[in-house]
Amino acid sequence: MAKRKRSILGKVWFVVWRFYLVLLLVLLVFRFVPPPTTSFMLQSPYPVTQQWINIDKLPPYVPLAFVASEDQRFPYHFGIDFTAIGHAISQYDDGDGLRGASTITQQTAKNLFLWPARSFIRKGLGAILAVSLEAIWGRKRILEVYLNIAEFGKGIYGIEAASQHYFGKSASKLTKDEAARLAVLLPDPRERNPNHLTPYLRDRVNWVEQQMQQLGAGYLKSILGR
């Protein structure tokens, strides 16, 4: 019985380390090469539109808008915001449902490799992947991939496709207000439109712009290098 148990554990360990090795190789490739698709794109019920844009071609306030809206501690955590996780677990224990706490790094990992439904299993896998992304990619690459694979509407993926779809121009030409309007599409992009904002979303845009101003134009300089 003991030998059989060791044999099973050995086989499991063999599969696990092989899987993780393949994952590391994939992450190393995507460190330099744009991902050709993502898990979310493959699961999309709509035709997918995506255009890649180098983050260096974006005005610095474009990634800042998303950091201000989604993850203001992005320059300082290592992929996981334990304070936010604690608040989310507390809300879950109070019966409010499992939500929140995802960093930009975790969202990138989720969009790239996982599935939409919320669960502790998905969040656990996302956390492991997030730490791997931070270690292998670095924050600039994480931001770049995040902006290029996030969903901004029904089948619209990436900020370049979103800018072309909603504003008829490249994301390199976005204004601060337009960047903030795209940022508030998350986390419910299929039901929101930056050109038809509800009073709640207009207030949210104003809040994001205020946060951008408070954080300052140079908030991401150590990440973006400009």
Side-chain angles (χ1 to χ4, degrees):
M1 181 65 72
K3 288 183 178 180
R4 183 179 178 184
K5 187 176 294 186
R6 284 197 298 269
S7 177
I8 293 173
L9 290 175
K11 289 178 180 178
V12 170
W13 172 244
F14 179 81
V15 172
V16 168
W17 80 261
R18 285 290 185 95
F19 173 80
Y20 197 68
L21 179 60
V22 171
L23 177 62
L24 289 177
L25 290 174
V26 170
L27 292 181
L28 282 171
V29 172
F30 288 167
R31 170 68 178 83
F32 304 100
V33 178
T37 188
T38 70
S39 175
F40 271 42
M41 291 181 200
L42 293 173
Q43 296 174 73
S44 174
Y46 309 101
V48 170
T49 301
Q50 187 213 21
Q51 293 175 259
W52 185 273
I53 186 169
N54 190 297
I55 196 170
D56 291 329
K57 294 183 179 180
L58 298 173
Y61 54 75
V62 172
L64 179 62
F66 288 84
V67 169
S69 179
E70 294 290 301
D71 183 7
Q72 294 188 13
R73 289 158 55 90
F74 178 73
Y76 305 108
H77 61 64
F78 198 69
I80 304 171
D81 189 337
F82 290 102
T83 300
I85 289 174
H87 289 321
I89 292 175
S90 177
Q91 290 176 344
Y92 180 75
D93 289 341
D94 290 340
D96 291 338
L98 186 63
R99 60 186 178 183
S102 291
T103 64
I104 281 176
T105 311
Q106 288 173 287
Q107 291 178 47
T108 304
K110 176 191 70 176
N111 292 347
L112 196 56
F113 294 113
L114 302 176
W115 59 91
R118 289 173 178 150
S119 68
F120 280 115
I121 293 175
R122 195 209 70 187
K123 283 186 174 292
L125 290 172
I128 294 171
L129 287 167
V131 173
S132 300
L133 291 181
E134 291 275 349
I136 296 172
W137 285 6
R139 292 183 176 91
K140 182 177 180 179
R141 180 60 172 177
I142 290 168
L143 260 183
E144 182 173 50
V145 174
Y146 171 75
L147 290 170
N148 277 286
I149 68 172
E151 186 178 13
F152 289 92
K154 295 177 179 178
I156 303 168
Y157 290 86
I159 192 150
E160 178 66 14
S163 183
Q164 295 283 0
H165 178 81
Y166 293 116
F167 304 125
K169 61 184 177 181
S170 171
S172 64
K173 305 297 184 182
L174 286 171
T175 66
K176 291 182 180 179
D177 179 68
E178 289 167 342
R181 282 194 273 162
L182 288 177
V184 303
L185 297 185
L186 309 177
D188 195 17
R190 295 180 184 178
E191 303 299 327
R192 299 176 179 182
N193 187 315
N195 294 318
H196 303 285
L197 297 173
T198 64
Y200 165 77
L201 289 178
R202 171 45 63 184
D203 288 343
R204 180 70 180 174
V205 168
N206 293 336
W207 180 85
V208 170
E209 291 177 335
Q210 291 171 3
Q211 295 301 302
M212 292 168 68
Q213 185 174 5
Q214 290 180 15
L215 292 173
Y219 189 65
L220 299 178
K221 185 175 182 179
S222 63
I223 295 173
L224 300 178
R226 57 194 170 97

